[in-house]
PDB file of all heavy atoms in Angstrom:
ATOM      1  N   LEU S  43     111.576 -34.642 108.846  1.00 91.00           N
ATOM      2  CA  LEU S  43     111.150 -34.133 110.153  1.00 91.00           C
ATOM      3  C   LEU S  43     112.123 -34.622 111.222  1.00 91.00           C
ATOM      4  O   LEU S  43     111.880 -35.637 111.886  1.00 91.00           O
ATOM      5  CB  LEU S  43     109.731 -34.612 110.467  1.00 91.00           C
ATOM      6  CG  LEU S  43     108.663 -34.268 109.426  1.00 91.00           C
ATOM      7  CD1 LEU S  43     107.402 -35.080 109.663  1.00 91.00           C
ATOM      8  CD2 LEU S  43     108.377 -32.775 109.455  1.00 91.00           C
ATOM      9  N   PRO S  44     113.237 -33.920 111.422  1.00 93.00           N
ATOM     10  CA  PRO S  44     114.265 -34.417 112.352  1.00 93.00           C
ATOM     11  C   PRO S  44     113.762 -34.743 113.754  1.00 93.00           C
ATOM     12  O   PRO S  44     114.158 -35.756 114.321  1.00 93.00           O
ATOM     13  CB  PRO S  44     115.295 -33.282 112.374  1.00 93.00           C
ATOM     14  CG  PRO S  44     115.140 -32.635 111.035  1.00 93.00           C
ATOM     15  CD  PRO S  44     113.659 -32.696 110.733  1.00 93.00           C
ATOM     16  N   HIS S  45     112.876 -33.922 114.328  1.00 92.00           N
ATOM     17  CA  HIS S  45     112.393 -34.226 115.680  1.00 92.00           C
ATOM     18  C   HIS S  45     111.593 -35.531 115.696  1.00 92.00           C
ATOM     19  O   HIS S  45     111.743 -36.349 116.605  1.00 92.00           O
ATOM     20  CB  HIS S  45     111.530 -33.078 116.226  1.00 92.00           C
ATOM     21  CG  HIS S  45     112.336 -31.940 116.760  1.00 92.00           C
ATOM     22  ND1 HIS S  45     112.998 -31.996 117.960  1.00 92.00           N
ATOM     23  CD2 HIS S  45     112.601 -30.709 116.248  1.00 92.00           C
ATOM     24  CE1 HIS S  45     113.628 -30.867 118.175  1.00 92.00           C
ATOM     25  NE2 HIS S  45     113.410 -30.066 117.146  1.00 92.00           N
ATOM     26  N   VAL S  46     110.774 -35.730 114.695  1.00 93.00           N
ATOM     27  CA  VAL S  46     109.984 -36.962 114.609  1.00 93.00           C
ATOM     28  C   VAL S  46     110.908 -38.156 114.368  1.00 93.00           C
ATOM     29  O   VAL S  46     110.803 -39.187 115.036  1.00 93.00           O
ATOM     30  CB  VAL S  46     108.907 -36.858 113.506  1.00 93.00           C
ATOM     31  CG1 VAL S  46     108.200 -38.190 113.296  1.00 93.00           C
ATOM     32  CG2 VAL S  46     107.911 -35.755 113.831  1.00 93.00           C
ATOM     33  N   PHE S  47     111.822 -38.011 113.414  1.00 93.00           N
ATOM     34  CA  PHE S  47     112.757 -39.085 113.092  1.00 93.00           C
ATOM     35  C   PHE S  47     113.538 -39.520 114.333  1.00 93.00           C
ATOM     36  O   PHE S  47     113.561 -40.701 114.697  1.00 93.00           O
ATOM     37  CB  PHE S  47     113.722 -38.641 111.989  1.00 93.00           C
ATOM     38  CG  PHE S  47     114.780 -39.651 111.693  1.00 93.00           C
ATOM     39  CD1 PHE S  47     114.531 -40.700 110.825  1.00 93.00           C
ATOM     40  CD2 PHE S  47     116.033 -39.571 112.294  1.00 93.00           C
ATOM     41  CE1 PHE S  47     115.512 -41.661 110.561  1.00 93.00           C
ATOM     42  CE2 PHE S  47     117.011 -40.513 112.039  1.00 93.00           C
ATOM     43  CZ  PHE S  47     116.751 -41.556 111.175  1.00 93.00           C
ATOM     44  N   PHE S  48     114.180 -38.558 115.007  1.00 94.00           N
ATOM     45  CA  PHE S  48     115.009 -38.911 116.160  1.00 94.00           C
ATOM     46  C   PHE S  48     114.166 -39.308 117.368  1.00 94.00           C
ATOM     47  O   PHE S  48     114.586 -40.134 118.172  1.00 94.00           O
ATOM     48  CB  PHE S  48     115.991 -37.790 116.500  1.00 94.00           C
ATOM     49  CG  PHE S  48     117.155 -37.735 115.557  1.00 94.00           C
ATOM     50  CD1 PHE S  48     117.297 -36.682 114.676  1.00 94.00           C
ATOM     51  CD2 PHE S  48     118.100 -38.744 115.528  1.00 94.00           C
ATOM     52  CE1 PHE S  48     118.365 -36.630 113.786  1.00 94.00           C
ATOM     53  CE2 PHE S  48     119.170 -38.718 114.647  1.00 94.00           C
ATOM     54  CZ  PHE S  48     119.304 -37.650 113.772  1.00 94.00           C
ATOM     55  N   GLY S  49     112.977 -38.741 117.523  1.00 92.00           N
ATOM     56  CA  GLY S  49     112.087 -39.156 118.608  1.00 92.00           C
ATOM     57  C   GLY S  49     111.689 -40.607 118.461  1.00 92.00           C
ATOM     58  O   GLY S  49     111.744 -41.391 119.427  1.00 92.00           O
ATOM     59  N   ASN S  50     111.290 -40.993 117.250  1.00 92.00           N
ATOM     60  CA  ASN S  50     110.930 -42.393 117.000  1.00 92.00           C
ATOM     61  C   ASN S  50     112.137 -43.312 117.177  1.00 92.00           C
ATOM     62  O   ASN S  50     112.030 -44.393 117.761  1.00 92.00           O
ATOM     63  CB  ASN S  50     110.341 -42.559 115.600  1.00 92.00           C
ATOM     64  CG  ASN S  50     108.967 -41.962 115.480  1.00 92.00           C
ATOM     65  OD1 ASN S  50     108.265 -41.766 116.468  1.00 92.00           O
ATOM     66  ND2 ASN S  50     108.563 -41.645 114.261  1.00 92.00           N
ATOM     67  N   PHE S  51     113.277 -42.878 116.676  1.00 93.00           N
ATOM     68  CA  PHE S  51     114.469 -43.707 116.805  1.00 93.00           C
ATOM     69  C   PHE S  51     114.894 -43.837 118.270  1.00 93.00           C
ATOM     70  O   PHE S  51     115.305 -44.916 118.712  1.00 93.00           O
ATOM     71  CB  PHE S  51     115.628 -43.183 115.957  1.00 93.00           C
ATOM     72  CG  PHE S  51     116.862 -44.021 116.123  1.00 93.00           C
ATOM     73  CD1 PHE S  51     116.879 -45.334 115.683  1.00 93.00           C
ATOM     74  CD2 PHE S  51     117.975 -43.526 116.770  1.00 93.00           C
ATOM     75  CE1 PHE S  51     118.002 -46.137 115.868  1.00 93.00           C
ATOM     76  CE2 PHE S  51     119.094 -44.310 116.962  1.00 93.00           C
ATOM     77  CZ  PHE S  51     119.113 -45.621 116.513  1.00 93.00           C
ATOM     78  N   ALA S  52     114.788 -42.754 119.043  1.00 93.00           N
ATOM     79  CA  ALA S  52     115.159 -42.819 120.460  1.00 93.00           C
ATOM     80  C   ALA S  52     114.295 -43.847 121.197  1.00 93.00           C
ATOM     81  O   ALA S  52     114.805 -44.608 122.030  1.00 93.00           O
ATOM     82  CB  ALA S  52     115.043 -41.450 121.112  1.00 93.00           C
ATOM     83  N   ASN S  53     112.998 -43.895 120.888  1.00 92.00           N
ATOM     84  CA  ASN S  53     112.122 -44.904 121.501  1.00 92.00           C
ATOM     85  C   ASN S  53     112.570 -46.311 121.131  1.00 92.00           C
ATOM     86  O   ASN S  53     112.622 -47.208 121.977  1.00 92.00           O
ATOM     87  CB  ASN S  53     110.669 -44.691 121.076  1.00 92.00           C
ATOM     88  CG  ASN S  53     110.068 -43.473 121.727  1.00 92.00           C
ATOM     89  OD1 ASN S  53     110.452 -43.090 122.824  1.00 92.00           O
ATOM     90  ND2 ASN S  53     109.126 -42.856 121.049  1.00 92.00           N
ATOM     91  N   PHE S  54     112.895 -46.511 119.860  1.00 93.00           N
ATOM     92  CA  PHE S  54     113.405 -47.802 119.390  1.00 93.00           C
ATOM     93  C   PHE S  54     114.703 -48.159 120.127  1.00 93.00           C
ATOM     94  O   PHE S  54     114.885 -49.283 120.598  1.00 93.00           O
ATOM     95  CB  PHE S  54     113.640 -47.734 117.873  1.00 93.00           C
ATOM     96  CG  PHE S  54     114.506 -48.831 117.340  1.00 93.00           C
ATOM     97  CD1 PHE S  54     113.980 -50.092 117.089  1.00 93.00           C
ATOM     98  CD2 PHE S  54     115.848 -48.605 117.081  1.00 93.00           C
ATOM     99  CE1 PHE S  54     114.786 -51.116 116.591  1.00 93.00           C
ATOM    100  CE2 PHE S  54     116.660 -49.616 116.587  1.00 93.00           C
ATOM    101  CZ  PHE S  54     116.126 -50.883 116.341  1.00 93.00           C
TER     102      PHE S  54
END
Side-chain angles (χ1 to χ4, degrees):
L43 304 166
H45 280 285
V46 173
F47 175 84
F48 284 111
N50 289 339
F51 179 66
N53 288 331
F54 164 81

